[in-house]
Amino acid sequence: MGKVILFSYIGIMCLVSFILFGADKSKAKRHAWRIPEKVLFGSALIGGALGALIGMQVFRHKTKHLSFKILIPLFLVLNIVAVFFIYRAL
């Protein structure tokens, strides 16, 4: 049961991150209020890095920002390591 919860959490966080990147890109095009970068980074760090990385590519958003080009893949590695150790502990 714990493994199902773990992978459900990761899936939900990836979806949330993906949606956040899409919403921020849409807001940028309309010159509307933007989603803070700390929210984008935060959602990636707490399990949504894969969704953030896919969102960056699909929406072509934040791909030229060095901080995003470095931190999002780093967060993905951290997410994978964390899931590995949590999975083994379950």
Side-chain angles (χ1 to χ4, degrees):
M1 182 65 176
K3 294 175 183 176
V4 171
I5 293 171
L6 173 64
F7 287 109
S8 296
Y9 171 79
I10 294 297
I12 290 167
M13 287 311 303
C14 286
L15 183 60
V16 166
S17 290
F18 181 82
I19 291 169
L20 285 172
F21 273 79
D24 192 50
K25 178 65 174 198
S26 175
K27 289 172 181 281
K29 286 181 176 180
R30 293 181 281 123
H31 303 286
W33 174 84
R34 303 285 300 279
I35 297 170
E37 287 186 355
K38 65 182 177 181
V39 172
L40 298 174
F41 282 129
S43 68
L45 180 62
I46 63 170
L50 182 60
L53 191 60
I54 293 169
M56 285 175 64
Q57 300 306 311
V58 168
F59 301 114
R60 296 179 188 206
H61 191 50
K62 303 287 187 184
T63 56
K64 294 182 180 180
H65 294 259
L66 186 60
S67 58
F68 280 86
K69 286 168 54 173
I70 292 171
L71 290 177
I72 298 299
L74 175 63
F75 292 164
L76 179 58
V77 171
L78 292 175
N79 286 182
I80 291 167
V81 170
V83 167
F84 174 77
F85 283 107
I86 295 169
Y87 184 86
R88 285 191 53 202
L90 295 175

